[in-house]
Amino acid sequence: MRSRGAGTRTQLTKLEELLRELRVEEVMTRRLVSVSGDFTMAQVKELLRKHRISGVPVLEGEALVGVVSIEDVTRALEQGEMGAKVRDRMSREVITVFADEPAVEAVKRFAHTKVGRLPVLDRGGKVVGILTPGDPVGRAFRVMDLRYREQEQQRWQQKGLGLEDLLGEGASLVLRFRVQGEDFAGAGKASVQAKRVLGRLGLDPGAVRRATIAAYEAEMNLIIHTRGGELTLEATPHSVVVEAVDKGPGIVDVEQALQPGFSTAPEWVCEMGFGAGMGLNNIQSCADEFEIESEVGRGTRVRAVVHLSQSGRKDRLNR
Amino acid sequence: MRLQDIKVQLEAEQVAGSPRPELEIKEACAADLMSDVLASARPGSLLLTGLTHPQAVRVAALASLAAVVFVQGKEPLRDTLVAAEESGLPLFVTQLSLFESCGRLYQAGLRG
Ligand SMILES: Nc1ncnc2c1ncn2[C@@H]1O[C@H](COP(=O)(O)OP(=O)(O)OP(=O)(O)O)[C@@H](O)[C@H]1O
Ligand SMILES: [Mg+2]
């Protein structure tokens, strides 16, 4: 029990520190929805529903003149006055916070005033964002989490542990992903995930970068050109082996497919920044060894090997 | 040049990712083709692009880039914001065009 209490306390202190360090600007929502005094309450209701928010600042030109919230809308609704102008129904006593103040100031203001949102002003008085009560702490926790992950990775790298220290000579670590054809929304997730895992193992960052770029190009080819397949990354103490295998349609002329600029990608992927005919070339330039085999009607197998730099590892050991 | 200075030069706003105002940026890359980014952008570079779907963020993360700027006031898709939050990659939006953005950063000393 005692140790748990202490742990919670350190976390709280860290949170407080972070809320002092982060500025309001860094925790606020920037995409600002606002209304003018001329809006009707009915229009406000629509806007709040559409953006799923509980209140908006009222601006006349650039100047903040009030806030109108879901409570004001409810009251107008009960009184049958949805046609009334915002100007006549808003609250004019607006509590605000400056963008360059520490986030902890916003937390205090929420605690002391019980308002549901704080418009954020720059020192010129212009509204630049908005805060809701959960924003500062939620954001701070996210930042804490990211920093923790970075530190953890640095600790691994400083220790200079290689995979053989973890797994023993001769063992390897295999990451296997099933990739859906035409799943453009999820595209690239496997490779990003693989990079995170290999990075955390403390492998040479340059080699991890090359291996996961190769994996990404292979993954995109599975998504764009096939009905799906399997992507694997195998990490050994000396290399990362990337392999993408699918069951068709296969490539008619592999020589031609390897020419920079050759592409059969459909129009819709070109609009999304793909289909330059550079993917296979990128894999080749990232890899120390490269193989491709394909048979029309049977499928394609692409294999790329990236050697881990031993010198990189020594550098870390010497530190 | 610090990320904060880039933000000021481009009159940009950060819409997702970790706040890293002090991060030092030496190079930038402007591209709308993902394979081009992967082929040419060096680790630690800034990416300027008009593509706002999640692939832009995933590609930047894979290439170990420092930050991404969407030009021409293009609103990032929701999934794009989520991808940036997951990886921590700072994501900015500027109203300036790609051409104008590159011009300003080049003028200010950033190289490609
Ligand atoms: N797994 C595969 N199955 C079938 N065809 C493939 C496969 N991988 C590549 N190809 C063929 O090879 C061509 C070249 O592939 P490459 O990855 O170099 O370029 P791309 O995918 O067309 O464009 P980019 O990768 O630059 O976005 C593709 O257009 C396609 O015709
Ligand atoms: Mg490709």
Side-chain angles (χ1 to χ4, degrees):
Chain A
M1 278 319 279
R2 232 165 77 216
S3 67
R4 186 199 287 179
T8 313
R9 211 156 40 238
T10 358
Q11 255 214 335
L12 268 184
T13 330
K14 261 200 210 145
L15 181 62
E16 282 166 20
E17 266 170 29
L18 203 53
L19 287 171
R20 275 194 193 97
E21 176 195 325
L22 293 174
R23 287 171 304 152
V24 165
E25 194 175 23
E26 293 166 327
V27 297
M28 70 186 187
T29 302
R30 288 154 223 267
R31 309 272 103 175
L32 189 66
V33 185
S34 66
V35 297
S36 80
D38 281 332
F39 272 58
T40 63
M41 294 307 278
Q43 284 174 311
V44 172
K45 175 174 149 276
E46 257 322 286
L47 197 73
L48 296 183
R49 195 187 54 77
K50 186 166 144 236
H51 293 276
R52 297 168 189 230
I53 49 180
S54 60
V56 284
V58 184
L59 303 185
E60 297 292 4
E62 298 234 304
L64 176 68
V65 294
V67 172
V68 62
S69 70
I70 192 95
E71 289 87 49
D72 300 320
V73 171
T74 315
R75 213 166 304 130
L77 198 63
E78 282 166 358
Q79 298 165 353
E81 292 180 9
M82 292 302 277
K85 292 275 197 264
V86 164
R87 185 173 296 118
D88 304 317
R89 311 290 308 215
M90 67 188 185
S91 29
R92 288 168 190 278
E93 303 265 301
V94 192
I95 298 160
T96 59
V97 63
F98 285 115
D100 58 2
E101 284 186 272
V104 69
E105 291 306 318
V107 175
K108 285 186 202 156
R109 229 152 288 172
F110 278 122
H112 295 155
T113 62
K114 304 272 182 267
V115 290
R117 66 208 57 75
L118 286 173
V120 180
L121 305 179
D122 65 14
R123 291 289 170 176
K126 194 176 150 218
V127 183
V128 292
I130 195 147
L131 275 180
T132 53
D135 288 343
V137 171
R139 179 75 219 179
F141 269 122
R142 273 214 299 276
V143 171
M144 242 158 58
D145 182 50
L146 279 168
R147 287 189 186 171
Y148 175 76
R149 277 198 256 159
E150 277 166 16
Q151 281 167 6
E152 192 189 47
Q153 189 166 331
Q154 273 169 12
R155 271 200 299 275
W156 272 101
Q157 284 175 0
Q158 273 160 12
K159 277 192 208 144
L161 288 176
L163 261 189
E164 55 201 307
D165 302 296
L166 279 174
L167 303 172
E169 181 63 45
S172 68
L173 181 81
V174 178
L175 303 174
R176 197 185 303 281
F177 302 92
R178 207 163 290 286
V179 179
Q180 298 292 325
E182 293 186 12
D183 172 23
F184 205 80
K189 276 189 179 167
S191 303
V192 170
Q193 185 63 22
K195 185 177 191 209
R196 200 168 289 159
V197 173
L198 297 180
R200 279 194 194 186
L201 289 174
L203 299 188
D204 164 26
V208 169
R209 177 176 183 270
R210 287 191 292 131
T212 51
I213 287 178
Y216 177 81
E217 292 286 13
E219 184 183 353
M220 292 312 300
N221 282 352
L222 289 180
I223 287 161
I224 294 170
H225 306 297
T226 80
R227 289 179 293 271
E230 202 168 68
L231 175 73
T232 54
L233 290 92
E234 177 172 9
T236 76
H238 313 289
S239 63
V240 179
V241 182
V242 177
E243 198 166 47
V245 180
D246 64 69
K247 291 200 159 51
I251 300 173
V252 180
D253 182 345
V254 172
E255 282 305 310
Q256 187 183 37
L258 289 171
Q259 295 294 315
F262 175 83
S263 176
T264 61
E267 184 76 30
W268 66 273
V269 296
C270 299
E271 280 157 23
M272 308 186 95
F274 296 89
M278 290 307 297
L280 291 173
N281 301 95
N282 274 355
I283 299 178
Q284 277 178 292
S285 53
C286 283
D288 297 305
E289 296 169 36
F290 174 80
E291 277 168 40
I292 178 167
E293 346 174 294
S294 188
E295 201 179 316
V296 174
R298 296 291 292 275
T300 303
R301 190 182 71 97
V302 174
R303 185 172 182 272
V305 183
V306 174
H307 296 159
L308 295 177
S309 87
Q310 292 302 310
S311 61
R313 222 193 117 213
K314 268 195 223 110
D315 287 349
R316 291 199 301 277
L317 282 170
N318 289 344
R319 235 188 256 143
Chain B
M1 193 188 292
R2 294 175 315 149
L3 201 47
Q4 172 64 24
D5 305 326
I6 287 173
K7 184 182 163 209
V8 172
Q9 287 290 342
L10 298 182
E11 299 164 39
E13 51 180 359
Q14 186 166 357
V15 291
S18 302
R20 289 186 181 144
E22 300 301 324
L23 194 69
E24 198 55 44
I25 310 276
K26 294 202 182 63
E27 294 176 55
C29 154
D32 281 350
L33 280 174
M34 295 298 111
S35 288
D36 278 352
V37 178
L38 291 171
S40 60
R42 277 180 287 264
S45 312
L46 176 78
L47 171 64
L48 297 124
T49 185
L51 275 184
T52 56
H53 58 77
Q55 297 308 324
V57 169
R58 292 192 189 127
V59 159
L62 284 165
S64 311
L65 306 190
V68 178
V69 179
F70 289 152
V71 296
Q72 213 116 43
K74 291 188 184 161
E75 289 284 335
L77 302 174
R78 223 198 115 62
D79 283 351
T80 309
L81 295 173
V82 172
E85 290 297 347
E86 271 170 15
S87 60
L89 197 81
L91 187 64
F92 296 86
V93 175
T94 175
Q95 299 300 318
L96 305 178
S97 69
L98 184 57
F99 182 77
E100 173 83 23
S101 303
C102 294
R104 287 199 190 183
L105 294 180
Y106 193 90
Q107 193 97 40
L110 207 63
R111 289 297 175 260

mmCIF file of all heavy atoms in Angstrom, chain A residues 217 220-221 224-225 275 278-280, chain B residues 35, ligand 2:
data_model
loop_
_atom_site.group_PDB
_atom_site.id
_atom_site.type_symbol
_atom_site.label_atom_id
_atom_site.label_comp_id
_atom_site.label_asym_id
_atom_site.label_seq_id
_atom_site.Cartn_x
_atom_site.Cartn_y
_atom_site.Cartn_z
ATOM 1 N N GLU A 217 6.463 0.131 -48.319
ATOM 2 C CA GLU A 217 6.262 0.071 -49.772
ATOM 3 C C GLU A 217 5.664 -1.285 -50.165
ATOM 4 O O GLU A 217 4.779 -1.362 -51.014
ATOM 5 C CB GLU A 217 7.578 0.313 -50.521
ATOM 6 C CG GLU A 217 8.121 1.736 -50.396
ATOM 7 C CD GLU A 217 7.346 2.768 -51.233
ATOM 8 O OE1 GLU A 217 6.247 2.461 -51.718
ATOM 9 O OE2 GLU A 217 7.857 3.904 -51.378
ATOM 10 N N MET A 220 2.012 -1.313 -49.034
ATOM 11 C CA MET A 220 1.160 -0.533 -49.944
ATOM 12 C C MET A 220 0.921 -1.303 -51.235
ATOM 13 O O MET A 220 -0.183 -1.250 -51.790
ATOM 14 C CB MET A 220 1.800 0.827 -50.267
ATOM 15 C CG MET A 220 1.876 1.804 -49.111
ATOM 16 S SD MET A 220 0.359 2.008 -48.167
ATOM 17 C CE MET A 220 -0.782 2.587 -49.411
ATOM 18 N N ASN A 221 1.925 -2.014 -51.731
ATOM 19 C CA ASN A 221 1.726 -2.794 -52.951
ATOM 20 C C ASN A 221 0.693 -3.908 -52.732
ATOM 21 O O ASN A 221 -0.113 -4.175 -53.614
ATOM 22 C CB ASN A 221 3.049 -3.362 -53.454
ATOM 23 C CG ASN A 221 3.868 -2.302 -54.182
ATOM 24 O OD1 ASN A 221 3.387 -1.209 -54.429
ATOM 25 N ND2 ASN A 221 5.110 -2.636 -54.514
ATOM 26 N N ILE A 224 -2.660 -1.998 -52.764
ATOM 27 C CA ILE A 224 -3.071 -1.376 -54.028
ATOM 28 C C ILE A 224 -3.193 -2.392 -55.166
ATOM 29 O O ILE A 224 -4.109 -2.324 -55.966
ATOM 30 C CB ILE A 224 -2.073 -0.253 -54.412
ATOM 31 C CG1 ILE A 224 -2.152 0.883 -53.380
ATOM 32 C CG2 ILE A 224 -2.354 0.280 -55.812
ATOM 33 C CD1 ILE A 224 -1.059 1.924 -53.532
ATOM 34 N N HIS A 225 -2.256 -3.342 -55.222
ATOM 35 C CA HIS A 225 -2.205 -4.197 -56.417
ATOM 36 C C HIS A 225 -2.734 -5.612 -56.214
ATOM 37 O O HIS A 225 -2.786 -6.378 -57.170
ATOM 38 C CB HIS A 225 -0.763 -4.280 -56.934
ATOM 39 C CG HIS A 225 -0.127 -2.939 -57.179
ATOM 40 N ND1 HIS A 225 -0.601 -2.055 -58.120
ATOM 41 C CD2 HIS A 225 0.924 -2.319 -56.583
ATOM 42 C CE1 HIS A 225 0.148 -0.948 -58.100
ATOM 43 N NE2 HIS A 225 1.070 -1.088 -57.170
ATOM 44 N N GLY A 275 1.360 5.551 -56.720
ATOM 45 C CA GLY A 275 1.357 5.230 -58.137
ATOM 46 C C GLY A 275 2.440 5.947 -58.917
ATOM 47 O O GLY A 275 2.322 6.159 -60.114
ATOM 48 N N MET A 278 7.576 4.065 -57.966
ATOM 49 C CA MET A 278 8.871 4.162 -57.276
ATOM 50 C C MET A 278 9.005 3.197 -56.104
ATOM 51 O O MET A 278 10.076 3.084 -55.510
ATOM 52 C CB MET A 278 9.070 5.591 -56.751
ATOM 53 C CG MET A 278 9.312 6.637 -57.832
ATOM 54 S SD MET A 278 10.653 6.189 -58.943
ATOM 55 C CE MET A 278 12.013 6.172 -57.784
ATOM 56 N N GLY A 279 7.934 2.492 -55.761
ATOM 57 C CA GLY A 279 7.927 1.678 -54.548
ATOM 58 C C GLY A 279 8.983 0.582 -54.551
ATOM 59 O O GLY A 279 9.780 0.460 -53.615
ATOM 60 N N LEU A 280 8.996 -0.220 -55.625
ATOM 61 C CA LEU A 280 9.961 -1.321 -55.685
ATOM 62 C C LEU A 280 11.385 -0.778 -55.695
ATOM 63 O O LEU A 280 12.301 -1.370 -55.111
ATOM 64 C CB LEU A 280 9.689 -2.198 -56.911
ATOM 65 C CG LEU A 280 8.376 -3.016 -56.861
ATOM 66 C CD1 LEU A 280 8.107 -3.712 -58.198
ATOM 67 C CD2 LEU A 280 8.432 -4.045 -55.728
ATOM 68 N N SER B 35 6.064 8.089 -52.264
ATOM 69 C CA SER B 35 7.321 7.402 -52.587
ATOM 70 C C SER B 35 8.484 8.396 -52.686
ATOM 71 O O SER B 35 9.616 8.059 -52.357
ATOM 72 C CB SER B 35 7.202 6.622 -53.897
ATOM 73 O OG SER B 35 6.394 5.494 -53.696
HETATM 74 MG MG MG C 2 4.152 0.640 -54.789
#
